[in-house]
Amino acid sequence: MSGEAILTVKGLTKRFGSGEAEVEVLKGIDFSMTSGEMAALLGPSGSGKSTFLTIIGTLMRATSGAHEMLGTDLMHASDAERTRFRSEHLGFVFQFHHLLPDLSALENVMMPAAAAQGRETAAMRARASELLDAVGLANRRDYRPGAMSGGQRQRVAVARALINNPALVLADEPVGSLDRASADDVMTLIREINATMNTSFLISTHDEYIAGQCARRVELLDGRIVRGAVGGEVGPPAG
Ligand code: ADP
Ligand code: MG
């Protein structure tokens, strides 16, 4: 099912520092996403993309405003509730893969599930294996990150983001450190996952070419959304 609201943010602000050193990085953001959406978050360096994704991802709290996802009031939830919510409903991909160097691809993919449950299970292992198949790395299951290419590592990171079957994956410049061909592979993969698993993606980038591969375009400028704050249009990329 597509098109149901999953995330709503209203009047969201984020300030760092205090007194004369205080800076307001997010200046009152209204934003929503629906299930199955694939959105690009565009904006120049320093516009607040990472700050916004970090807040949406419950890794940091907003200063003020409303932040709700899947019926949970994340603004007023306790730290423990937010941590639990994060592991159940959110996935993350970063610019640098952040895979653990001493674990195999399969173990890296399983890691968020094992961490959430405090142990590894056969079901987890099977799911991680399926996800590695889905990202085209069935034959790299036992490889450590150091023995894989940049594009392959980022595909492992995408599989890892999906292990807990999140409603929304937040990807902060996920292909920003890859060459164009590897970036294309990873974006194609993300589009396939979006289409087949109905996982929503919010992908920050400063690259128009990457943004053009997303059905929705959200533009952040100096801490404000200047375009695309309301979604709901699910479909092929425009243009
Ligand atoms: P982007 O990801 O779009 O490049 P960021 O969200 O990283 O932008 O940063 C937006 C602004 O917020 C920048 O001016 C940055 O210096 C500032 N900023 C980010 N994190 C902090 C922090 N922890 N303390 C103070 N300023 C910060
Ligand atoms: Mg950033």
Side-chain angles (χ1 to χ4, degrees):
M1 281 264 290
S2 288
E4 289 169 46
I6 56 168
L7 169 72
T8 310
V9 154
K10 288 202 178 103
L12 196 88
T13 71
K14 181 65 188 178
R15 292 190 284 275
F16 291 110
S18 59
E20 285 188 8
E22 187 177 270
V23 283
E24 191 172 44
V25 171
L26 300 180
K27 301 174 179 170
I29 289 190
D30 295 336
F31 177 73
S32 60
M33 276 190 89
T34 60
S35 61
E37 266 194 312
M38 178 152 164
L41 179 63
L42 270 154
S45 186
S47 57
K49 300 182 298 296
S50 294
T51 302
F52 186 53
L53 290 178
T54 305
I55 289 172
I56 295 304
T58 74
L59 295 164
M60 179 168 72
R61 280 185 198 262
T63 303
S64 66
H67 175 195
E68 193 190 296
M69 188 172 163
L70 300 171
T72 299
D73 177 354
L74 291 167
M75 195 69 194
H76 298 104
S78 68
D79 289 348
E81 286 163 345
R82 284 161 56 91
T83 299
R84 189 186 154 135
F85 184 94
R86 188 185 314 135
S87 81
E88 287 181 356
H89 302 297
L90 292 162
F92 298 88
V93 181
F94 304 97
Q95 179 172 0
F96 302 100
H97 54 83
H98 294 298
L99 300 175
L100 297 175
D102 294 332
L103 299 185
S104 69
L106 187 81
E107 290 164 338
N108 266 291
V109 173
M110 268 199 299
M111 217 263 300
Q117 293 188 35
R119 66 197 176 103
E120 282 181 24
T121 67
M124 248 175 232
R125 190 167 276 272
R127 164 102 178 128
S129 192
E130 266 174 42
L131 286 168
L132 280 176
D133 283 355
V135 301
L137 293 175
N139 58 354
R140 293 290 184 275
R141 218 164 279 178
D142 300 321
Y143 282 52
R144 289 184 181 184
M148 287 184 280
S149 71
Q152 288 173 337
R153 286 194 284 257
Q154 227 26 353
R155 278 147 65 192
V156 175
V158 171
R160 179 185 54 185
L162 297 168
I163 187 75
N164 291 330
N165 203 18
L168 174 63
V169 172
L170 301 166
D172 198 358
E173 314 235 11
V175 299
S177 61
L178 301 180
D179 60 65
R180 177 68 23 121
S182 305
D184 271 343
D185 284 350
V186 171
M187 288 305 295
T188 300
L189 169 68
I190 287 177
R191 282 211 308 275
E192 281 169 11
I193 289 164
N194 170 250
T196 57
M197 301 186 191
N198 203 39
T199 311
S200 299
F201 283 84
L202 180 59
I203 303 169
S204 82
T205 182
H206 50 253
D207 184 337
E208 284 291 343
Y209 174 78
I210 300 299
Q213 301 185 40
C214 299
R216 177 177 169 196
R217 178 188 176 95
V218 182
E219 288 176 27
L220 198 58
L221 188 65
D222 192 24
R224 295 177 209 277
I225 291 184
V226 295
R227 186 179 158 180
V230 178
E233 323 96 72
V234 177

